């Protein structure tokens, strides 16, 4: 049974609006929040989705030179990485411990 649910912000992506609605004109960028989810259960914590890859940190040009250039722009800071988010709360440190 889930006792608590935490929504952990894991950076943002700016994407061409056609990724969400193919009836829109290309070129309009839409920024969305990326989330990770931490469930507290009586049997221990469960982490669902660890967010975006470390390679996106401070790298909005990640897709430069690919077909996705200008269509997907990662907006991620070091504090958005899952390790940083979990370390911010003492409650979450148990997950990082062996």
């Amino acid at each position: 049974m889930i006792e608590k649910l935490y929504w952990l912000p894991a950076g943002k992506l700016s994407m061409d609006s056609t990724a969400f609605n193919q009836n829109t004109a290309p070129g309009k960028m839409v920024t969305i929040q990326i989330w990770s989810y931490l469930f507290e259960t009586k049997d221990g914590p469960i982490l669902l989705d660890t967010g975006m890859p470390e390679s996106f940190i401070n790298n909005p040009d990640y897709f430069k030179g690919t077909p996705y250039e200008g269509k997907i722009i990662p907006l991620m800071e070091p504090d958005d990485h899952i390790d940083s988010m979990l370390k911010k709360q003492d409650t979450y440190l148990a997950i990082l411990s062996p």
Side-chain angles (χ1 to χ4, degrees), residues 6 8 38 83-94 96:
Y6 298 93
L8 306 173
L38 179 64
D83 288 341
S84 296
M85 287 189 294
L86 294 175
K87 288 177 183 176
K88 288 179 187 177
Q89 300 289 327
D90 290 340
T91 308
Y92 305 147
L93 288 177
L96 299 175

Side-chain angles (χ1 to χ4, degrees), residues 6-24:
Y6 298 93
W7 293 58
L8 306 173
K12 297 179 181 178
L13 279 178
S14 192
M15 301 177 69
D16 191 280
S17 63
T18 57
F20 305 102
N21 183 349
Q22 293 180 350
N23 294 322
T24 62

